[in-house]
Amino acid sequence: MRRGPVRALALLMAVLLLAGCGGSATQSPGSSSSSSSSGSSGSAGSGTSSGSSGASNPSSSQANLPDEIEIGIITALTGSEAKFGEAHMRGYQIALEEINAAGGVLGRPLKLIVEDDASKPENAISAAEKLATQTKVPLIIGSYSSAATLPAAQTATTYQVPFIVPTAAADNITEFGSRYVFRINSPSSEYASTVVNFLMDQVKPKTMAIVYENTNFGTSTAQPARELAEKAGIQVVAYEGYAKGAPDFKPLITKVKAANPDVVLYVSYLLDATLLMRQARELDFNPKVYIGAGAGFSTPEFVREEGAGKDAEYTFSATLWTTDVAWKGAKEFAEEFEKRYGVEPAYHSAETHAALYLVKDVLERAGSLDREAVRQALAETDMGPDATIFGPMKFNEKGQNAHPMLVTQVQDGNYVTVWPSEYAAAAPILPTPTWSERK
Amino acid sequence: MELLAQLPQNLVSGLLLGGMYALIGVGLALVFGVMDIVNLAHGAFLMVGMYTTYLLVNHLGLDPYLGILVSGPILFVLGMLIQRLVIKRIATASHMNQILLTVGLSMVLVNTAQLLFTADYRQIRTSYAETVIRIGSVSMNLAYIISFFLAVAITVGLYLYLMKSEFGRALRATSQDIHAAQLMGVNVQNVQMTAFGLGMALAGAAGALLTPVYYLYPTVGENFGLKAFTMVVLGGMGSVVGAALGGVTLALAESLGQIFVGHELKDAIGFFVFILVLLFKPEGLFGRARA
């Protein structure tokens, strides 16, 4: 009889292991998985349909353009990332209406052919195949997660269809040697270099602590940040991973505080970012700068009461886009977006909005819907900082846009762009006031 | 030297967190340790307690600690209902059946919460959580201190109740030998139902104490559910006080262990201590060896 509990415990562990595997997929509290969905990219089979890559070019000269110009869109309308697919669609919608109201492209209205990848890599592949062979679009824009985007980009490459990436951040998407893939946003590795460049430009710290979530997301930013900081002459005095979702970070912060760093870099999602800042206040930990690498430190909830609230004040973060950035149309877009949907736009919507303006520019320069001509025009893109609300567009030989990343600071409860100075809306407040100096 | 400087803060942090761990462990000890039902839904019960507190605070403006007086009875009744409708059928079945059933129950509760509240995370803000007390280099959050003392009070109260009251005697008798208890005129059915209700109410109380210092989302209970089992076995099966001390031990091990290894390994430290105890004192730290 009393042997029962021990056996039960063994069973229990087994069940929990199983439950853990299945459970983790649905466990995405809040908008925690916002930026840098680096995740398991590449794991999805790259072996797309190896067969006929006979690109069926809808070779249409300017004279015989169709009545509407159809553009292929892949995004996550359903599934675990549906929230971000919605953000994508809102950006597309506003841009589409603006472009068509202004006369369309090449004198024709644009039409979006939207395929749902249901947040799954295999669906992204079939969506790309469908758009390439049945709808016969001149180009495709997609998708949200890196896990879905990489195989879709590989499929598009097989069919020789130009493929624009608006959001997916895994570095390898532009690294597989495709001539057809063009990415608008910065890859995840840029977060680290932006943080270090900002620090060297504005703070010149001697010492730094890096505190990161011990997952792929955390280490893929923390490791390059450590290397770049040390190369720049900043001594990394604490490099601490943490298990996410812990109720008590005080032992961790105590340890970091004892190392007395000038700067603390947090690589955290929203839940932990909130507790890390709250408990840093409780422990009266006063480095000169708190800076986050996007994610939790650049989500709208972080500065509000349901996040860190006033504990978020003065924190810096590297980010891709802000509503107050000095790129033409960003502010107006934010106002229109808020009027329509009642919320502030996240950068995902700005990316897709800019993607359609890129398409307009590209098709007009190509002068046709021929895929090779479109690809050529994409490669030659050179749009200035005011051409889109997401800033300048110019792709390198790998198809990566040189998107200037921004640094924000929370000032009076709002994210304010403070660096680089040419896009800044305000000057950074440095050094961070100590907790006791704050109101 | 530098390590020693961290010691007081980690000791206090671990102890305060331990108070809450204790309450979580005690609730499971009643169901798993005493009634011998492998309850994998304990974490989900905790979650239900947290959402109940959240609703009471946000919609009725109740103080989260006073909220226990409301959420406790609600969860108590809910627990009795669940016992009567679901658990009772597998009370004497094999542990495998109990695991399957309670995992299913937990899934239903978690997904219901997801349906009602979405996966967004929430938190309540109280003046307690904003108040920090500093003694020397040690800082304490008032909400943690209150939660700690309430947890201790509830645990002690429960212990006295189980030891002194008629129901407590009946419960202990039932856990020792269900047939003999029945022959002695104990209403075993009622005892089991009440014990399960109490277990759920305690999980709810722990949830209420956790809400002001943590955040909540539908799967929040997973972390704590697993730890609760560790606490119960660590403290010694069948002992309510043992589970409470097991909770404090686990929290202290996690907190103090971090001085030497990183935070990312804190769960590993907790389980390492657990394995050591199982190896050298399989009856648990505070359990009596049983025949």
Side-chain angles (χ1 to χ4, degrees), chain A residues 84-110:
Chain A
F84 303 103
E86 182 185 65
H88 268 173
M89 289 317 299
R90 289 172 170 180
Y92 285 130
Q93 193 54 39
I94 293 177
L96 181 74
E97 285 171 27
E98 287 170 1
I99 291 171
N100 284 347
V105 177
L106 298 168
R108 303 285 196 279
L110 274 186

Short mmCIF file of all heavy atoms in Angstrom, two decimals, chain A residues 84-110:
data_model
loop_
_atom_site.label_atom_id
_atom_site.label_comp_id
_atom_site.label_asym_id
_atom_site.label_seq_id
_atom_site.Cartn_x
_atom_site.Cartn_y
_atom_site.Cartn_z
N PHE A 84 -0.49 38.23 -34.48
CA PHE A 84 0.46 38.99 -35.27
C PHE A 84 0.05 39.03 -36.73
O PHE A 84 0.32 39.99 -37.44
CB PHE A 84 1.86 38.40 -35.09
CG PHE A 84 2.27 38.37 -33.66
CD1 PHE A 84 2.25 37.21 -32.93
CD2 PHE A 84 2.62 39.55 -33.02
CE1 PHE A 84 2.60 37.21 -31.59
CE2 PHE A 84 2.96 39.57 -31.69
CZ PHE A 84 2.95 38.38 -30.97
N GLY A 85 -0.65 37.97 -37.19
CA GLY A 85 -1.21 37.99 -38.53
C GLY A 85 -2.23 39.12 -38.66
O GLY A 85 -2.30 39.81 -39.68
N GLU A 86 -2.99 39.32 -37.59
CA GLU A 86 -3.96 40.41 -37.57
C GLU A 86 -3.25 41.76 -37.71
O GLU A 86 -3.67 42.63 -38.48
CB GLU A 86 -4.76 40.34 -36.27
CG GLU A 86 -5.83 41.39 -36.17
CD GLU A 86 -6.50 41.35 -34.79
OE1 GLU A 86 -5.81 41.64 -33.78
OE2 GLU A 86 -7.67 41.02 -34.73
N ALA A 87 -2.16 41.91 -36.95
CA ALA A 87 -1.37 43.16 -37.04
C ALA A 87 -0.85 43.34 -38.47
O ALA A 87 -0.86 44.45 -39.01
CB ALA A 87 -0.22 43.13 -36.05
N HIS A 88 -0.41 42.25 -39.08
CA HIS A 88 0.04 42.31 -40.47
C HIS A 88 -1.07 42.82 -41.37
O HIS A 88 -0.88 43.75 -42.15
CB HIS A 88 0.44 40.91 -40.95
CG HIS A 88 1.89 40.60 -40.74
ND1 HIS A 88 2.42 39.36 -40.97
CD2 HIS A 88 2.93 41.37 -40.35
CE1 HIS A 88 3.72 39.39 -40.71
NE2 HIS A 88 4.05 40.58 -40.32
N MET A 89 -2.24 42.20 -41.26
CA MET A 89 -3.34 42.53 -42.17
C MET A 89 -3.78 43.99 -42.02
O MET A 89 -4.14 44.65 -42.99
CB MET A 89 -4.52 41.60 -41.94
CG MET A 89 -4.31 40.15 -42.40
SD MET A 89 -3.49 39.98 -44.00
CE MET A 89 -4.65 40.81 -45.08
N ARG A 90 -3.73 44.50 -40.79
CA ARG A 90 -4.14 45.89 -40.58
C ARG A 90 -3.19 46.85 -41.31
O ARG A 90 -3.62 47.84 -41.90
CB ARG A 90 -4.17 46.19 -39.08
CG ARG A 90 -5.33 45.50 -38.40
CD ARG A 90 -5.26 45.63 -36.89
NE ARG A 90 -6.51 45.17 -36.30
CZ ARG A 90 -6.75 45.16 -34.99
NH1 ARG A 90 -5.83 45.59 -34.15
NH2 ARG A 90 -7.90 44.74 -34.53
N GLY A 91 -1.90 46.54 -41.26
CA GLY A 91 -0.93 47.37 -41.98
C GLY A 91 -1.14 47.31 -43.48
O GLY A 91 -1.15 48.33 -44.16
N TYR A 92 -1.35 46.09 -44.00
CA TYR A 92 -1.61 45.92 -45.43
C TYR A 92 -2.84 46.72 -45.85
O TYR A 92 -2.87 47.39 -46.86
CB TYR A 92 -1.86 44.44 -45.78
CG TYR A 92 -0.64 43.55 -45.79
CD1 TYR A 92 -0.64 42.35 -45.08
CD2 TYR A 92 0.49 43.88 -46.54
CE1 TYR A 92 0.47 41.50 -45.10
CE2 TYR A 92 1.60 43.03 -46.58
CZ TYR A 92 1.58 41.85 -45.86
OH TYR A 92 2.66 41.02 -45.88
N GLN A 93 -3.90 46.59 -45.05
CA GLN A 93 -5.18 47.17 -45.40
C GLN A 93 -5.07 48.69 -45.56
O GLN A 93 -5.53 49.26 -46.54
CB GLN A 93 -6.21 46.82 -44.31
CG GLN A 93 -7.65 47.10 -44.69
CD GLN A 93 -8.07 46.44 -46.00
OE1 GLN A 93 -7.69 45.31 -46.28
NE2 GLN A 93 -8.83 47.17 -46.81
N ILE A 94 -4.44 49.33 -44.57
CA ILE A 94 -4.33 50.78 -44.63
C ILE A 94 -3.50 51.19 -45.86
O ILE A 94 -3.88 52.09 -46.62
CB ILE A 94 -3.71 51.33 -43.33
CG1 ILE A 94 -4.69 51.11 -42.17
CG2 ILE A 94 -3.38 52.81 -43.46
CD1 ILE A 94 -4.16 51.54 -40.82
N ALA A 95 -2.38 50.49 -46.09
CA ALA A 95 -1.52 50.83 -47.23
C ALA A 95 -2.26 50.59 -48.55
O ALA A 95 -2.19 51.39 -49.47
CB ALA A 95 -0.24 50.00 -47.19
N LEU A 96 -3.00 49.48 -48.61
CA LEU A 96 -3.72 49.14 -49.84
C LEU A 96 -4.72 50.24 -50.20
O LEU A 96 -4.79 50.69 -51.35
CB LEU A 96 -4.45 47.80 -49.65
CG LEU A 96 -5.23 47.30 -50.86
CD1 LEU A 96 -4.28 46.77 -51.92
CD2 LEU A 96 -6.21 46.20 -50.46
N GLU A 97 -5.48 50.67 -49.19
CA GLU A 97 -6.47 51.72 -49.46
C GLU A 97 -5.81 53.00 -49.90
O GLU A 97 -6.27 53.68 -50.84
CB GLU A 97 -7.33 51.96 -48.21
CG GLU A 97 -8.34 50.83 -48.00
CD GLU A 97 -9.04 50.93 -46.64
OE1 GLU A 97 -9.16 52.05 -46.11
OE2 GLU A 97 -9.47 49.87 -46.14
N GLU A 98 -4.69 53.36 -49.26
CA GLU A 98 -3.97 54.58 -49.62
C GLU A 98 -3.46 54.50 -51.06
O GLU A 98 -3.65 55.44 -51.84
CB GLU A 98 -2.78 54.81 -48.69
CG GLU A 98 -3.18 55.24 -47.29
CD GLU A 98 -1.99 55.22 -46.31
OE1 GLU A 98 -0.87 54.88 -46.75
OE2 GLU A 98 -2.20 55.52 -45.13
N ILE A 99 -2.84 53.37 -51.39
CA ILE A 99 -2.23 53.25 -52.71
C ILE A 99 -3.30 53.26 -53.80
O ILE A 99 -3.19 53.98 -54.80
CB ILE A 99 -1.38 51.96 -52.79
CG1 ILE A 99 -0.14 52.10 -51.91
CG2 ILE A 99 -0.98 51.65 -54.24
CD1 ILE A 99 0.66 50.83 -51.74
N ASN A 100 -4.37 52.51 -53.58
CA ASN A 100 -5.42 52.46 -54.61
C ASN A 100 -6.16 53.78 -54.74
O ASN A 100 -6.57 54.16 -55.83
CB ASN A 100 -6.39 51.31 -54.33
CG ASN A 100 -5.78 49.96 -54.70
OD1 ASN A 100 -4.76 49.90 -55.38
ND2 ASN A 100 -6.39 48.89 -54.24
N ALA A 101 -6.32 54.50 -53.61
CA ALA A 101 -6.99 55.80 -53.69
C ALA A 101 -6.14 56.78 -54.48
O ALA A 101 -6.65 57.71 -55.10
CB ALA A 101 -7.24 56.33 -52.26
N ALA A 102 -4.81 56.56 -54.44
CA ALA A 102 -3.92 57.47 -55.16
C ALA A 102 -3.66 56.99 -56.59
O ALA A 102 -2.70 57.41 -57.23
CB ALA A 102 -2.61 57.63 -54.39
N GLY A 103 -4.47 56.07 -57.08
CA GLY A 103 -4.33 55.68 -58.49
C GLY A 103 -3.70 54.33 -58.73
O GLY A 103 -3.44 53.96 -59.87
N GLY A 104 -3.41 53.60 -57.66
CA GLY A 104 -2.90 52.26 -57.83
C GLY A 104 -1.46 52.22 -58.32
O GLY A 104 -0.70 53.16 -58.13
N VAL A 105 -1.10 51.11 -58.94
CA VAL A 105 0.27 50.90 -59.43
C VAL A 105 0.20 50.67 -60.94
O VAL A 105 -0.60 49.86 -61.41
CB VAL A 105 0.88 49.66 -58.75
CG1 VAL A 105 2.28 49.39 -59.29
CG2 VAL A 105 0.94 49.86 -57.24
N LEU A 106 1.02 51.40 -61.67
CA LEU A 106 1.02 51.31 -63.14
C LEU A 106 -0.39 51.52 -63.69
O LEU A 106 -0.80 50.88 -64.65
CB LEU A 106 1.55 49.94 -63.60
CG LEU A 106 3.00 49.59 -63.22
CD1 LEU A 106 3.27 48.11 -63.48
CD2 LEU A 106 3.98 50.45 -63.98
N GLY A 107 -1.15 52.38 -62.99
CA GLY A 107 -2.50 52.68 -63.46
C GLY A 107 -3.52 51.61 -63.15
O GLY A 107 -4.67 51.70 -63.57
N ARG A 108 -3.13 50.57 -62.42
CA ARG A 108 -4.07 49.50 -62.06
C ARG A 108 -4.20 49.44 -60.54
O ARG A 108 -3.23 49.66 -59.83
CB ARG A 108 -3.56 48.14 -62.56
CG ARG A 108 -3.31 48.05 -64.04
CD ARG A 108 -4.62 47.96 -64.81
NE ARG A 108 -4.40 47.50 -66.19
CZ ARG A 108 -4.00 48.28 -67.18
NH1 ARG A 108 -3.73 49.55 -66.96
NH2 ARG A 108 -3.84 47.78 -68.40
N PRO A 109 -5.37 49.05 -60.04
CA PRO A 109 -5.48 48.87 -58.58
C PRO A 109 -4.74 47.60 -58.14
O PRO A 109 -4.67 46.63 -58.89
CB PRO A 109 -6.98 48.74 -58.34
CG PRO A 109 -7.56 48.33 -59.65
CD PRO A 109 -6.66 48.86 -60.72
N LEU A 110 -4.21 47.67 -56.91
CA LEU A 110 -3.57 46.49 -56.33
C LEU A 110 -4.64 45.60 -55.71
O LEU A 110 -5.65 46.08 -55.21
CB LEU A 110 -2.60 46.89 -55.21
CG LEU A 110 -1.17 47.28 -55.54
CD1 LEU A 110 -0.42 47.49 -54.23
CD2 LEU A 110 -0.47 46.23 -56.37
#
